[in-house]
Amino acid sequence: MNILKKSKETLCSVAPIMALVLILAFTAVPFTPGLIARFLTGGLMVIAGLTLFLIGIDIGIIPIGERSGAALTSKKNLKLLLSVSFLIGFMITIAEPDVQVLAGQIGNLSANVNKWTLVIMIALGVGFFVTLGLCRTVLSLKLRRVLIISYLFLFALAYFCPDYLQGAAFDAGGATTGPMTVPFIMALGMGVASVRAGKNSRDNDSQFGLTGIASIGPIAAVCLYGIILNYFFAHDESLTATTIESAENLPEGMRIYATLFPEVFSDVFKSLFPLLIMFICFQIFLLKMPPVQLRKMFSGVVYCFIGLVLFLLGAEGGFMPAGQKVGEYLGFLSISKGGIWTFIIIILAFIFGAITVCAEPAVWVLTEQVEEASGGNIKRRIMLTSLSLGVAFSIGLSILKIIYGFSIWYILIPGYALALILTFFCPPLFTGIAFDSGGVASGPMTSTFILSFTLGCASSYSSSSSSAFGVIALVAMTPLIAIQILGIIYKIKTKEVAD
């Protein structure tokens, strides 16, 4: 493992966010000294945590997922593979911290929404679609066909879902694919695909796409939950005004980290404990690895644990309050002065989106796996550039939606329609990568800094911050288009060289 290399990667990805926020803090946005100190401390925690997390992923989580997928497939028992994959998707999702945070936020939309019922529904949705994705790999079904049928079913459900849950439902698709879910699901899919590839070379393209299929499950589950609520209960309109606590009212300085530590520690423990239990069961009944490999993978889990605790502490203690403060104040300036400030907040949203996606832990995992799987033909730098532009565009659209108050469907319907149309022209490998990227791009940095920024902006424009819901959905959608366009360009250039 190369600690210096990982540290350099994380420093280069997080430092631009910190620099931009600090420039705003000393110029346009009045930060208190305590908030600046908290943000700087949080930034150092994010860098250290992200470094340890990525090391742990390399030596622990990815090997567990790949070996488990390969071992399950080698048993040649489809029922065993699908039932275990459902259990894996279900258990990891319940423990995913991002899911519990989002479920609590959605619970503010109506008194009838129960947080833990919603978490269970989301977990069932992920488990079902992970099973569907692995079934697609085993049966060598075309990814395009599975995606088109799944999204037609999804939009039919969304049509009947209550309006107040539609944006939150699509947010669930992005929030569910968090720092623990993505690496394990991707590694599981690659393990299954590696066994299938030995029988049929066409399956080389099947190692990507599982995360993209899995991210459909939470959206469908929340939509179905909304339909059930709408049928049995009347929606309480008085609770649709979702509010957030002002950054000024939160504890200053280092006190915020002492306050957050017990909750963050508990969330990370719940995230990793089910994975550890599954790994022990797989080791006893399936993998039977030698002690040397066992110790190495266990040390990877320990690195992931420490890294995630530091990362989430820094993100929630420093990045979220700073993002909220920037959004609130710039939104206030846009309303009171208009003109140039409205333009500035849109440009800043674009820049924040471009640089924040590079700080997502799972993005680094995905781009590294893509570069390795493509034999170096698809460079990490090109992938990161494409993802940055796509996410930047989506954050800009989210701010426009807040400012002008138009429906999210004006963006989602044409966006997903274009993404599905592109699957007919894009190479299958890039299609799988694109739909995986959608879930990967909308990780903990988006759920903390970017969502806080848009919630702060929305609270300035109205007493309700509910219009900020949908930002994660847009972040998850735009990479589907950006990466597939990259794939079409790659296909054209490869053909030109061949001719």
Side-chain angles (χ1 to χ4, degrees):
M1 62 181 175
N2 192 333
I3 297 179
L4 291 178
K5 181 182 177 182
K6 296 294 184 184
S7 299
K8 183 179 178 181
E9 289 177 351
T10 55
L11 181 62
C12 291
S13 63
V14 178
I17 303 174
M18 297 182 65
L20 185 55
V21 172
L22 288 174
I23 290 172
L24 290 171
F26 287 107
T27 55
V29 183
F31 272 44
T32 62
L35 189 56
I36 293 176
R38 192 165 67 202
F39 177 69
L40 289 172
T41 304
L44 294 176
M45 287 184 174
V46 166
I47 292 170
L50 188 52
T51 300
L52 293 174
F53 176 81
L54 291 173
I55 292 172
I57 287 292
D58 284 346
I59 66 177
I61 303 302
I62 289 178
I64 292 173
E66 289 179 344
R67 288 176 180 269
S68 300
L72 285 169
T73 308
S74 65
K75 292 292 183 181
K76 298 180 181 179
N77 187 330
L78 184 60
K79 290 183 179 179
L80 176 65
L81 171 65
L82 297 183
S83 58
V84 173
S85 63
F86 176 86
L87 182 63
I88 289 173
F90 180 81
M91 291 181 67
I92 289 181
T93 304
I94 285 182
E96 182 68 62
D98 289 351
V99 174
Q100 297 184 27
V101 171
L102 182 67
Q105 292 174 330
I106 296 174
N108 293 328
L109 296 176
S110 173
N112 299 321
V113 176
N114 180 272
K115 174 184 174 179
W116 284 104
T117 302
L118 190 57
V119 169
I120 295 296
M121 288 289 292
I122 290 174
L124 288 171
V126 173
F128 177 81
F129 276 86
V130 166
T131 304
L132 176 64
L134 290 179
C135 188
R136 192 273 305 185
T137 301
V138 172
L139 300 178
S140 299
L141 300 176
K142 288 186 176 181
L143 177 61
R144 178 176 66 241
R145 187 175 301 169
V146 175
L147 289 173
I148 290 175
I149 293 173
S150 298
Y151 273 103
L152 287 175
F153 168 73
L154 175 63
F155 276 92
L157 280 177
Y159 178 80
F160 294 101
C161 179
D163 293 343
Y164 68 94
L165 276 178
Q166 288 174 348
F170 279 86
D171 278 351
T176 300
T177 46
M180 287 309 306
T181 308
V182 168
F184 198 89
I185 287 180
M186 285 187 64
L188 181 65
M190 293 179 77
V192 173
S194 66
V195 175
R196 294 296 301 169
K199 300 178 181 180
N200 188 340
S201 60
R202 182 178 63 179
D203 288 329
N204 286 326
D205 295 337
S206 298
Q207 57 189 305
F208 297 105
L210 181 58
T211 303
I213 294 174
S215 64
I216 299 172
I219 309 174
V222 176
C223 287
L224 183 61
Y225 183 60
I227 294 170
I228 295 172
L229 287 180
N230 201 40
Y231 183 81
F232 288 103
F233 302 99
H235 173 50
D236 187 352
E237 297 292 338
S238 63
L239 294 177
T240 58
T242 306
T243 58
I244 53 175
E245 185 180 6
S246 172
E248 298 293 339
N249 297 328
L250 296 175
E252 287 285 357
M254 297 300 293
R255 285 185 296 163
I256 184 66
Y257 298 108
T259 303
L260 287 174
F261 180 77
E263 182 180 356
V264 169
F265 186 91
S266 174
D267 285 343
V268 174
F269 179 81
K270 286 187 289 185
S271 295
L272 286 172
F273 187 71
L275 185 64
L276 189 60
I277 294 298
M278 284 190 296
F279 173 51
I280 293 172
C281 292
F282 286 164
Q283 168 65 16
I284 294 172
F285 300 107
L286 193 65
L287 300 177
K288 296 180 172 60
M289 292 183 297
V292 175
Q293 292 181 341
L294 203 61
R295 285 194 295 269
K296 185 177 180 181
M297 291 187 182
F298 180 76
S299 66
V301 175
V302 174
Y303 277 118
C304 281
F305 181 87
I306 298 173
L308 271 179
V309 169
L310 288 174
F311 178 86
L312 292 175
L313 271 177
E316 294 182 22
F319 274 56
M320 285 178 68
Q324 178 187 327
K325 177 68 175 179
V326 171
E328 284 178 352
Y329 195 76
L330 291 180
F332 168 76
L333 290 177
S334 175
I335 293 172
S336 60
K337 298 185 179 181
I340 187 64
W341 285 105
T342 301
F343 177 75
I344 287 174
I345 195 172
I346 294 172
I347 294 300
L348 281 174
F350 188 92
I351 296 172
F352 278 139
I355 60 180
T356 300
V357 68
C358 294
E360 292 288 2
V363 166
W364 289 95
V365 177
L366 174 72
T367 53
E368 185 173 347
Q369 289 180 335
V370 169
E371 187 170 3
E372 181 181 343
S374 65
N377 291 322
I378 306 173
K379 300 296 183 183
R380 168 182 280 187
R381 186 182 305 166
I382 297 175
M383 276 282 296
L384 285 173
T385 301
S386 301
L387 283 172
S388 293
L389 290 174
V391 172
F393 186 68
S394 68
I395 303 301
L397 282 177
S398 299
I399 296 299
L400 285 173
K401 171 180 169 289
I402 291 171
I403 293 173
Y404 297 105
F406 55 82
S407 172
I408 193 173
W409 289 113
Y410 294 152
I411 307 173
L412 287 180
I413 291 178
Y416 275 104
L418 177 58
L420 293 175
I421 290 172
L422 288 174
T423 63
F424 289 92
F425 305 98
C426 181
L429 176 62
F430 275 86
T431 297
I433 293 170
F435 279 84
D436 279 351
S437 301
V440 167
S442 50
M445 287 302 294
T446 305
S447 301
T448 54
F449 184 81
I450 293 298
L451 184 57
S452 296
F453 173 73
T454 53
L455 282 169
C457 182
S459 66
S460 295
Y461 275 87
S462 67
S463 59
S464 170
S465 59
S466 58
S467 60
F469 281 102
V471 60
I472 301 177
L474 296 182
V475 169
M477 182 192 73
T478 47
L480 312 185
I481 300 170
I483 299 298
Q484 287 193 98
I485 291 174
L486 177 65
I488 294 172
I489 295 172
Y490 176 81
K491 179 180 177 181
I492 294 171
K493 288 192 173 183
T494 304
K495 186 176 179 180
E496 288 176 352
V497 172
D499 293 341

